[in-house]
Structure formats: C-alpha cells, structure tokens
C-alpha cells in the first residue's frame, strides 16, 4: 500500500504534468462544502487535464459543476464522471425504457426521467439504489421487499461511508445495502462504482489518454487504489485532512 502524501507534495512532483489527472472528490478536493488546501492550485496547474471521478450518487455532473463553481472550482460537467449518473446512463443504453424502482435523490430522479427510464416501484424490471438523505424507514422496507422478491439490483456504489467536513464518517450507499443484505442475505447487486474500474476507463476514453499517461489521486486504497490498479493507472494516495502524511511519518520514525 502506498504511503499517504499531502496534495502539496503531489503538486511539487511531476505527477500533475501527466496527460490526464483523475481525482476523487470527497476527502481529496472537498470536505463537505469546504475546499481542501491546495485544490485551487491543483486546478490552476492541471487545467483541462483534470477529471473528477467519484462514487458520488447524489449529484449529476451538471448539478455538481454548479456547486463546485459556487465554491470557486470551475470544473465543467463534461469532465465529471459520477457513479450515480453513470449507472443511469449505462442502464438507459442497455435497457432503454426500463421500468425502474429508483431510490435516489432528486437530481438522479430528474435525470432518469430525462433518459426515458420509467419509474415503477410496483412492477419494476430492476431496482437502482443510490444515496438519498431523505430515505425513510418505509423506503428501506420497500427496498428489502423488492430484494426479497428477486428484483435485480444496480447499486450505484458500494462505499459504506465518506468523510464528513470534520472527518466524521457519513453513511453512504453501501451502508444502506448492508442493511438490505442483513435482512436478505442472498441479495446480490451489480455496481460500476469504484473499486470497479469503469469510471476511470470512461474518463480515459473521453480524454483520449492511455492508462500509462494518466494518474489517479484518491484517499481510499480499498476503492480508489483498487480501481486505479484494475484500470492500469498509477495511483497516488492523498492524506486526508488531519491524517499524518508520509513526511510526518518519516520524521516521527527518525526521532525514535
């Protein structure tokens, strides 16, 4: 496993000069609604070679681009790939007009309708589960009932948590799925979110860049690192705010 380093250390290396720099979102660029240190410098250094590749399943690329612009981070929607949106777009390509039991926040609900997917929780062809902070206990019961009935599941991402603004774990889509499988142990789901390499490969195709000419920066070896390895992309592990970076670890070791 690579040692975590600060974003400033990465910026002082040749890494940002790669043909494409892929970056995770939560814990790397943002912490809640706070822009993390040196991120504006990253955008200035990389320009249109920077791509956001995230397991976010609340936003669409368009709604996230608007939010980032408000925070002073001008990344266009065309260079943002999100697990929730990509799940719906993949589903539309594979099964146009499918009847979908969609458990997701408003941006994905709107996108699903725009893509021609038909919302149906009574007799769905399949179920899509994303992160929705407004999910109720009744919704959970409905998801469990559909899983018990054998309805195929597309899980937008398997993450159990993502780091909140103060580092506190925030429940993610994988935590919801853990509750479902606790009730229906035989339930299975398909996901293109990291650690699967799908999002990274799509970013590389859009950028027209070979894996060897790209680098991916993320804060979670189990998802970001595994996805990078599967896609054949070099991986840089960033230290989360407040966590010891490599140089700190080295100084501590030398003082012992």
């Amino acid at each position: 496993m690579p040692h975590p380093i600060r974003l400033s250390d990465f910026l002082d290396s040749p890494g940002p000069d790669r043909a494409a720099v892929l970056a995770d979102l939560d814990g790397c660029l943002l912490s809640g609604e706070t822009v993390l240190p040196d991120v504006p410098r990253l955008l200035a250094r990389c320009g249109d070679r920077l791509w956001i590749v995230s397991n976010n399943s609340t936003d669409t690329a368009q709604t996230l681009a608007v939010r980032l612009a408000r925070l002073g981070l001008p990344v266009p929607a065309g260079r943002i790939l999100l697990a929730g949106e990509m799940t719906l777009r993949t589903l539309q390509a594979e099964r146009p007009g499918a009847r979908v039991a969609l458990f997701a926040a408003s941006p994905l609900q709107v996108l699903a309708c725009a893509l021609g997917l038909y919302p149906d929780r009574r007799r769905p062809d399949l179920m899509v589960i994303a992160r929705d902070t407004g999910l109720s206990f009744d919704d959970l019961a409905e998801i469990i009932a559909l899983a018990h009935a054998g309805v195929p599941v597309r899980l937008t991402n398997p993450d159990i948590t993502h780091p909140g603004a103060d580092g506190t774990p925030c429940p993610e889509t994988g935590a919801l799925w853990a509750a479902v499988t606790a009730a229906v142990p035989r339930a299975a789901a398909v996901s293109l979110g990291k650690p699967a390499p799908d999002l990274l490969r799509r970013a590389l195709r859009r950028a027209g860049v070979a894996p060897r000419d790209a680098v991916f920066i993320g804060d979670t070896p189990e998802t970001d690192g595994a996805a990078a390895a599967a896609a054949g992309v070099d991986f840089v592990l960033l230290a989360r705010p407040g966590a010891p970076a490599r140089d700190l670890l080295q100084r501590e070791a030398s003082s012992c």
Side-chain angles (χ1 to χ4, degrees):
M1 180 187 302
H3 290 297
I5 65 170
R6 294 188 183 94
L7 180 56
S8 59
D9 298 325
F10 173 70
L11 288 167
D12 290 336
S13 75
D17 297 325
R18 295 286 186 97
V21 177
L22 315 182
D24 185 33
L25 181 67
D26 293 305
C28 293
L29 305 183
L30 297 181
S31 182
E33 293 296 299
T34 301
V35 177
L36 293 175
D38 294 301
V39 170
R41 185 180 159 207
L42 174 70
L43 265 67
R45 173 86 176 270
C46 296
D48 61 7
R49 292 179 293 107
L50 180 69
W51 294 73
I52 293 176
V53 181
S54 169
N55 271 357
N56 178 307
S57 64
T58 303
D59 292 287
T60 63
Q62 188 60 52
T63 63
L64 180 59
V66 171
R67 180 157 64 94
L68 291 175
R70 288 200 304 264
L71 297 173
L73 302 177
V75 181
R79 296 207 314 271
I80 299 175
L81 291 92
L82 306 177
E85 177 173 0
M86 289 300 104
T87 297
L88 293 181
R89 292 191 180 279
T90 299
L91 178 57
Q92 187 276 335
E94 294 175 352
R95 303 187 63 176
R99 306 173 75 88
V100 182
L102 176 59
F103 296 87
S106 176
L108 291 190
Q109 296 280 355
V110 172
L111 176 62
C113 291
L115 292 174
L117 299 173
Y118 187 80
D120 183 358
R121 293 188 180 186
R122 294 178 61 85
R123 299 183 63 184
D125 298 318
L126 72 163
M127 175 166 49
V128 174
I129 302 175
R131 185 173 187 267
D132 180 6
T133 57
L135 195 82
S136 69
F137 192 88
D138 287 343
D139 290 326
L140 176 59
E142 195 171 354
I143 293 171
I144 289 173
L146 290 170
H148 176 72
V151 174
V153 179
R154 301 283 179 100
L155 189 68
T156 54
N157 74 77
D159 291 349
I160 302 298
T161 64
H162 71 259
D166 62 354
T168 301
C170 295
E172 259 290 353
T173 315
L176 171 60
W177 184 242
V180 174
T181 55
V184 188
R186 60 180 172 79
V190 174
S191 178
L192 58 69
K194 298 172 291 183
D198 302 55
L199 295 175
L200 278 72
R201 287 174 175 166
R202 292 185 190 207
L204 293 172
R205 284 198 298 270
R206 285 192 189 180
V209 172
R212 66 178 178 275
D213 297 322
V215 64
F216 181 46
I217 57 175
D219 65 328
T220 309
E222 297 80 8
T223 53
D224 298 328
V233 176
D234 287 341
F235 176 61
V236 173
L237 177 62
L238 295 184
R240 289 179 177 172
R246 179 173 58 188
D247 58 339
L248 296 180
L249 293 170
Q250 288 174 339
R251 282 204 298 269
E252 289 171 0
S254 64
S255 64
C256 293

